[in-house]
Amino acid sequence: MSRLFEEIRSSPLLWLLVFVPVVLGVEIVRPDAHTLLFLLSVLAIVPLAALLSLATESVAERTGDAAGGLINATLGNLTELVIAVTALAAGQYALVKASIAGAIVTNALFMLGACFLLGGLRHHMQDFNRTGARLQASLLFIATVALLIPSAIVAADNIDNPEAIQKLSLLLALLLVAGYVLGLWFSLGTHRTSFASAAPAENHHVPLPIGLALVTLAAVTVLVALVSHIFVASVEVAGAALGLTPAFVGFIVVSLVGGAAEFASAFAAARKDRLDLSVSIALGSAAQIALFVAPLLVLLSYVVGPAPMGLDFWPGAVVMMVIAALSAALLTAGGHSAWFLGVLVLMVYAIFALTLYVLPLSQ
Amino acid sequence: MSRLFEEIRSSPLLWLLVFVPVVLGVEIVRPDAHTLLFLLSVLAIVPLAALLSLATESVAERTGDAAGGLINATLGNLTELVIAVTALAAGQYALVKASIAGAIVTNALFMLGACFLLGGLRHHMQDFNRTGARLQASLLFIATVALLIPSAIVAADNIDNPEAIQKLSLLLALLLVAGYVLGLWFSLGTHRTSFASAAPAENHHVPLPIGLALVTLAAVTVLVALVSHIFVASVEVAGAALGLTPAFVGFIVVSLVGGAAEFASAFAAARKDRLDLSVSIALGSAAQIALFVAPLLVLLSYVVGPAPMGLDFWPGAVVMMVIAALSAALLTAGGHSAWFLGVLVLMVYAIFALTLYVLPLSQ
Amino acid sequence: MSRLFEEIRSSPLLWLLVFVPVVLGVEIVRPDAHTLLFLLSVLAIVPLAALLSLATESVAERTGDAAGGLINATLGNLTELVIAVTALAAGQYALVKASIAGAIVTNALFMLGACFLLGGLRHHMQDFNRTGARLQASLLFIATVALLIPSAIVAADNIDNPEAIQKLSLLLALLLVAGYVLGLWFSLGTHRTSFASAAPAENHHVPLPIGLALVTLAAVTVLVALVSHIFVASVEVAGAALGLTPAFVGFIVVSLVGGAAEFASAFAAARKDRLDLSVSIALGSAAQIALFVAPLLVLLSYVVGPAPMGLDFWPGAVVMMVIAALSAALLTAGGHSAWFLGVLVLMVYAIFALTLYVLPLSQ
């Protein structure tokens, strides 16, 4: 237990944990202070995400290669998943879909662009030619495309048949999950060596002992769920008060908050000129959302939600996801990076954010 | 002649030739058994396509390099062409367009993905970095884009002016055919050496003697035309009975049936770790449809069809073709392949098929 | 001064300068001869653009590396800018937007394709693998995407809120200009060495003396403005008389006319097997339009135009720009070129031109 406190003391990000009891307290005392609750819950989720990531990595490290890889692969986006499931249970499907689309775009553009920029500020020109990075980019492109086909075709053909779309979404979700399972078999089984090399060195933390890690994992997941509940309940009123559309909150705020822990790892790797690793975290996480989190949420909507949720995104989100996946594929295909490339990618992300902020999108 | 029987006896695929007389017989005895005729005609076309491919290759081989290349290049998709011309004469333009779009998508995704998968099951990681493969991918991308521009712009701008679209389609068809002729001059003339190296080794058959090959070519083309006639006449009623939309039949069934012979060659090459050749067959065939078969059908529609046919595809088909060409270009640009990449590409193809199966597309 | 005449005598293109006094004279004598004025103004702008380019290069060369680079980067598309500002002042926003879109497409397809073709006619296979070219292609792709996001999302979501779109366009223009300034710092500052190597050798002209160059720059800019004024005033009536839509004139005619000088440099480099330089001129110029000229025109519309101009292009233009940027990125990623690739790229450009010529586009 003292190990955990030590970890917290040495990491400034974890000091934000103080906001967890604060937000839970305010929720009891002043349940109608939506804007305050919204801001406090955002501040509370960031350190919880970091702690969750630490616990997941520790469990993964202590359970050996194969099982550890499986745990990392399934729990890597646990924060995003818990937030989305909470929104799902509340029937806020627009928020769920925005957070899926936003997580893909944020990982593929913001995380990648910031890695290029941060790495480029220290190093004149960075290379990342290795096979793994390119494979990952192809994987992300195909995964995103697979997720988007129904939305694209529905939009292109102006189809208005909710039942058929729902049936297609369900079949598609099953197909994507099957693809994800095969992907695990690929990266943890037949082609483990191609992927394994990069991972271990990433971990600059000493892993937590297995018992503590499991308890932390369970306890923090519960805390994330509690705070997410407050977040989801307050987001609509608070968003309106702050002048933010639900699309902006789901797309930008949720994904920046939920991905904070991964950003920290990826940025650190970029600064150390280990851009292969940064690219792999960014694209791998984006692909995981498309292949695993998104279809899982569709399947869970049959159990948790008030009604089945489909995979039909609003057309603007489709455009953004396609552009993000294409940009990531083209930029990483080059194999070189310099700071200005990072600026440009961040600019595209900023334009997305601006568009979502300014335009009254019909979700 | 005994050479031909020998060829048939040694190749299990050709045993399906028995369905040719069966379908022709059933057509006479029970012309209203649409579903049966549909299934039988599908089974009959597959071996005819294989035989046609064998005859074409034999003629090509016996007539020397330049003329042979020309024959391979123009008759390589003869089965698809005969089926499409039959549908054209019957005025089934939706079927024709679906089969053009489907052939491009099937070659660029199904054939390529299956090659990656089959090759990857035998070989841990496959490379195909050579110049020819990349040139071919660029060619396919540009060819597909060239074919799609009018549809994309018509869809984007909501243009509703059939006469202008028809005029544009005719001009475009002439331009594409001119581009194809220049392409032949490129691959058979100025840059023959870049392309020739791969081709000869492909041929594991002993070619038929020239006389027999020519007779086979003529006779089998007539048989394909006869069976296609039955196929086209039965497809609509049978499709409805089997719960298949015309879009699904044209897009998926026709292209899988018509391309069977090419699939066999490409798959064999992939298993022998000759992925350059597989990629070249898949992308080359897709590009040939876009640059040659599609515009040729537009031109033929002025002679054969009840009315001129335009190059305006329905928006969903445009989306699928663009995604297929982009995926092929990105995946082959990487220059590496492993089995899971094949799974992902096949997944995209499966999603297309699922979408066409489930959604009531407005062709 | 005699140096200038010498330059004119030695360059056949500059003989067209005779049309400058002719068009100015005809404008006074027969101000209603719109078609004649249109044709004469086109003929007059071509040599003025060449002269402007010569003067710009001379000033750049005489003022040293950093300042010279800055001048080249900001005045490189001066002709296009002057024509567009004239159209802006006349309130012809459709023409302005068509000329922005057309300049990007013409540089990325026509210039690139013609370089591939002209280079390929002399050299069997050309390589251009160097880092700079790929960086430039990524830059063009991202820049184009950045410019297009609002249009794409407006089109996808059917948004009809002119005020919000205008606000977004203004914010976006500021962001793009900021990006451009950072880009200058990148190419002239931190990464000068990566870009500088290619530039000097390009200049086969002896630069003009600085005084003469500055006077020429000022005088020719005034002449371009005068001729542009005639061009813009006559284009609508003349276009209708010649059967050309404003979209065709803005997209094709203006960009071919305005870019003539750059084409000459790029083509010469391609023939000398310096394809790196050709690609850099083509993609660099296209990126400059997207990142600098387009947002500058939006900002200028608040000062010069009758009303603010937005960055919402008509959907067909969006499709064309995306295809052009993607094609350029994919073709230059390959790193190889042969004449037929040039033919295909030019074919895509021809199809764009044909489509704009035939279809009654709703700008």
Side-chain angles (χ1 to χ4, degrees), chain B residues 309-333:
Chain B
M309 184 180 79
L311 276 175
D312 46 326
F313 294 91
W314 82 99
V318 173
V319 169
M320 290 185 191
M321 281 190 269
V322 168
I323 289 174
L326 256 182
S327 303
L330 285 171
L331 288 172
T332 54

Side-chain angles (χ1 to χ4, degrees), chain B:
Chain B
M1 203 63 185
S2 67
R3 251 303 269 111
L4 195 62
F5 282 116
E6 203 177 298
E7 187 73 44
I8 292 172
R9 216 173 309 135
S10 73
S11 160
L13 189 66
L14 295 183
W15 294 358
L16 292 172
L17 282 174
V18 71
F19 286 106
V20 178
V22 171
V23 69
L24 294 176
V26 172
E27 161 74 357
I28 293 168
V29 182
R30 292 190 50 198
D32 291 333
H34 292 298
T35 307
L36 181 66
L37 283 169
F38 170 74
L39 295 173
L40 288 173
S41 59
V42 165
L43 288 170
I45 289 174
V46 171
L48 287 174
L51 211 54
L52 210 51
S53 162
L54 175 69
T56 308
E57 275 172 35
S58 300
V59 173
E61 202 136 325
R62 300 285 181 186
T63 50
D65 247 29
L70 194 68
I71 288 166
N72 255 329
T74 45
L75 303 186
N77 281 301
L78 188 55
T79 310
E80 284 91 338
L81 190 59
V82 172
I83 299 176
V85 169
T86 313
L88 202 63
Q92 297 220 23
Y93 290 179
L95 185 64
V96 175
K97 286 178 191 173
S99 78
I100 292 171
I104 292 173
V105 170
T106 299
N107 287 331
L109 290 183
F110 174 78
M111 208 195 303
L112 194 68
C115 286
F116 282 0
L117 177 57
L118 291 172
L121 291 179
R122 280 221 185 158
H123 308 274
H124 189 258
M125 192 74 89
Q126 293 183 296
D127 293 348
F128 51 98
N129 261 330
R130 296 176 214 145
T131 308
R134 284 196 165 184
L135 214 62
Q136 211 105 21
S138 303
L139 199 153
L140 169 64
F141 178 74
I142 296 287
T144 311
V145 155
L147 183 67
L148 291 182
I149 288 164
S151 311
I153 287 166
V154 165
D157 279 353
N158 274 318
I159 289 169
D160 188 23
N161 184 335
E163 269 174 54
I165 293 171
Q166 188 56 43
K167 189 176 160 197
L168 183 63
S169 298
L170 179 60
L171 290 171
L172 185 62
L174 294 171
L175 199 64
L176 289 171
V177 168
Y180 188 67
V181 170
L182 286 173
L184 290 182
W185 185 31
F186 178 70
S187 61
L188 304 175
T190 65
H191 286 63
R192 186 154 34 105
T193 48
S194 317
F195 289 85
S197 54
E202 162 195 18
N203 214 338
H204 42 288
H205 296 285
V206 180
L208 302 175
I210 178 74
L212 177 59
L214 282 174
V215 170
T216 308
L217 192 59
V220 173
T221 302
V222 171
L223 285 176
V224 171
L226 287 175
V227 177
S228 295
H229 191 77
I230 300 174
F231 174 79
V232 167
S234 64
V235 69
E236 207 166 340
V237 180
L242 295 167
L244 306 176
T245 58
F248 181 86
V249 173
F251 212 94
I252 305 293
V253 178
V254 172
S255 21
L256 287 180
V257 165
E262 285 160 306
F263 299 161
S265 308
F267 296 168
R271 270 192 297 258
K272 285 177 205 150
D273 206 10
R274 302 201 52 207
L275 213 56
D276 278 346
L277 181 55
S278 305
V279 168
S280 162
I281 295 174
L283 302 188
S285 181
Q288 196 185 28
I289 302 280
L291 275 182
F292 179 63
V293 175
L296 190 63
L297 288 169
V298 170
L299 298 180
L300 283 174
S301 75
Y302 283 84
V303 185
V304 173
M309 184 180 79
L311 276 175
D312 46 326
F313 294 91
W314 82 99
V318 173
V319 169
M320 290 185 191
M321 281 190 269
V322 168
I323 289 174
L326 256 182
S327 303
L330 285 171
L331 288 172
T332 54
H336 303 287
S337 156
W339 68 264
F340 184 56
L341 225 57
V343 168
L344 283 172
V345 179
L346 289 175
M347 209 166 82
V348 172
Y349 188 71
I351 291 169
F352 283 169
L354 215 59
T355 306
L356 289 168
Y357 185 78
V358 171
L359 290 186
L361 293 174
S362 64
Q363 293 184 55

Side-chain angles (χ1 to χ4, degrees), chain C residues 47-112:
Chain C
L48 287 175
L51 211 53
L52 210 52
S53 163
L54 176 69
T56 308
E57 275 172 35
S58 300
V59 174
E61 203 135 323
R62 301 284 182 184
T63 50
D65 247 29
L70 196 67
I71 287 167
N72 257 329
T74 46
L75 302 186
N77 281 301
L78 188 55
T79 310
E80 284 91 338
L81 191 59
V82 172
I83 299 176
V85 169
T86 312
L88 202 63
Q92 297 219 23
Y93 289 180
L95 185 64
V96 176
K97 286 178 191 174
S99 78
I100 293 171
I104 293 173
V105 170
T106 299
N107 287 331
L109 291 183
F110 174 78
M111 208 196 304
L112 194 69

Side-chain angles (χ1 to χ4, degrees), chain C residues 76-235:
Chain C
N77 281 301
L78 188 55
T79 310
E80 284 91 338
L81 191 59
V82 172
I83 299 176
V85 169
T86 312
L88 202 63
Q92 297 219 23
Y93 289 180
L95 185 64
V96 176
K97 286 178 191 174
S99 78
I100 293 171
I104 293 173
V105 170
T106 299
N107 287 331
L109 291 183
F110 174 78
M111 208 196 304
L112 194 69
C115 287
F116 283 0
L117 178 57
L118 291 173
L121 291 178
R122 280 223 185 155
H123 308 274
H124 189 258
M125 192 73 90
Q126 293 184 297
D127 292 349
F128 51 99
N129 263 329
R130 296 180 212 142
T131 309
R134 284 194 166 184
L135 214 63
Q136 210 107 21
S138 304
L139 199 153
L140 169 63
F141 179 74
I142 297 287
T144 310
V145 154
L147 182 67
L148 290 183
I149 289 163
S151 311
I153 287 165
V154 165
D157 279 354
N158 273 319
I159 289 168
D160 189 22
N161 185 334
E163 270 174 54
I165 293 171
Q166 188 55 43
K167 189 177 161 195
L168 182 63
S169 297
L170 180 59
L171 290 170
L172 185 63
L174 293 169
L175 198 64
L176 288 171
V177 168
Y180 189 68
V181 170
L182 286 173
L184 289 182
W185 185 30
F186 177 71
S187 59
L188 303 175
T190 64
H191 284 62
R192 185 154 34 105
T193 48
S194 316
F195 288 86
S197 55
E202 161 196 19
N203 214 337
H204 42 288
H205 296 287
V206 180
L208 302 175
I210 177 73
L212 177 59
L214 281 173
V215 171
T216 308
L217 192 58
V220 174
T221 302
V222 171
L223 285 176
V224 171
L226 287 174
V227 177
S228 296
H229 191 76
I230 300 173
F231 174 79
V232 167
S234 64
V235 69

Side-chain angles (χ1 to χ4, degrees), chain A residues 87-155:
Chain A
L88 202 63
Q92 296 220 24
Y93 290 180
L95 185 63
V96 176
K97 286 178 190 173
S99 79
I100 292 171
I104 292 174
V105 169
T106 299
N107 288 332
L109 291 183
F110 174 78
M111 207 195 305
L112 194 69
C115 287
F116 282 0
L117 178 58
L118 292 172
L121 290 178
R122 280 222 186 156
H123 308 275
H124 188 258
M125 191 74 88
Q126 293 185 296
D127 292 348
F128 51 99
N129 263 330
R130 295 177 213 143
T131 308
R134 285 196 165 184
L135 214 62
Q136 211 104 21
S138 304
L139 200 152
L140 168 64
F141 179 74
I142 297 287
T144 311
V145 155
L147 182 67
L148 291 183
I149 288 164
S151 311
I153 287 165
V154 165

Side-chain angles (χ1 to χ4, degrees), chain A residues 44-357:
Chain A
I45 288 174
V46 171
L48 287 175
L51 212 52
L52 210 52
S53 162
L54 176 69
T56 308
E57 274 172 35
S58 300
V59 174
E61 203 135 326
R62 299 285 182 188
T63 51
D65 247 28
L70 195 66
I71 288 166
N72 256 329
T74 46
L75 302 186
N77 282 300
L78 189 54
T79 311
E80 283 91 337
L81 191 58
V82 172
I83 299 176
V85 169
T86 313
L88 202 63
Q92 296 220 24
Y93 290 180
L95 185 63
V96 176
K97 286 178 190 173
S99 79
I100 292 171
I104 292 174
V105 169
T106 299
N107 288 332
L109 291 183
F110 174 78
M111 207 195 305
L112 194 69
C115 287
F116 282 0
L117 178 58
L118 292 172
L121 290 178
R122 280 222 186 156
H123 308 275
H124 188 258
M125 191 74 88
Q126 293 185 296
D127 292 348
F128 51 99
N129 263 330
R130 295 177 213 143
T131 308
R134 285 196 165 184
L135 214 62
Q136 211 104 21
S138 304
L139 200 152
L140 168 64
F141 179 74
I142 297 287
T144 311
V145 155
L147 182 67
L148 291 183
I149 288 164
S151 311
I153 287 165
V154 165
D157 279 354
N158 274 318
I159 290 169
D160 188 23
N161 184 335
E163 270 174 54
I165 293 171
Q166 188 55 44
K167 188 176 161 196
L168 182 64
S169 297
L170 179 59
L171 290 170
L172 185 62
L174 294 171
L175 198 65
L176 288 171
V177 168
Y180 189 67
V181 171
L182 286 172
L184 289 182
W185 185 31
F186 178 71
S187 61
L188 303 175
T190 64
H191 285 64
R192 185 154 36 104
T193 48
S194 317
F195 289 86
S197 55
E202 161 196 21
N203 214 337
H204 43 287
H205 296 286
V206 181
L208 301 175
I210 178 74
L212 178 58
L214 282 174
V215 170
T216 308
L217 192 58
V220 174
T221 302
V222 171
L223 285 176
V224 172
L226 287 174
V227 177
S228 295
H229 191 76
I230 299 174
F231 174 80
V232 167
S234 64
V235 69
E236 208 166 340
V237 180
L242 294 168
L244 306 177
T245 59
F248 182 86
V249 172
F251 212 95
I252 305 291
V253 178
V254 172
S255 23
L256 287 178
V257 165
E262 285 160 304
F263 298 160
S265 309
F267 296 167
R271 270 191 297 258
K272 285 176 204 149
D273 205 10
R274 302 201 51 208
L275 212 55
D276 278 345
L277 182 54
S278 305
V279 170
S280 163
I281 296 174
L283 302 188
S285 181
Q288 197 185 28
I289 302 279
L291 275 181
F292 179 63
V293 175
L296 190 63
L297 288 168
V298 170
L299 298 180
L300 283 174
S301 75
Y302 283 84
V303 185
V304 173
M309 185 181 78
L311 275 176
D312 47 325
F313 295 91
W314 82 98
V318 173
V319 169
M320 290 184 191
M321 281 189 270
V322 168
I323 288 174
L326 255 183
S327 303
L330 286 172
L331 288 171
T332 54
H336 304 287
S337 156
W339 67 264
F340 184 56
L341 225 57
V343 168
L344 282 172
V345 179
L346 289 175
M347 207 166 83
V348 172
Y349 187 71
I351 291 171
F352 284 169
L354 214 59
T355 306
L356 289 167
Y357 185 79

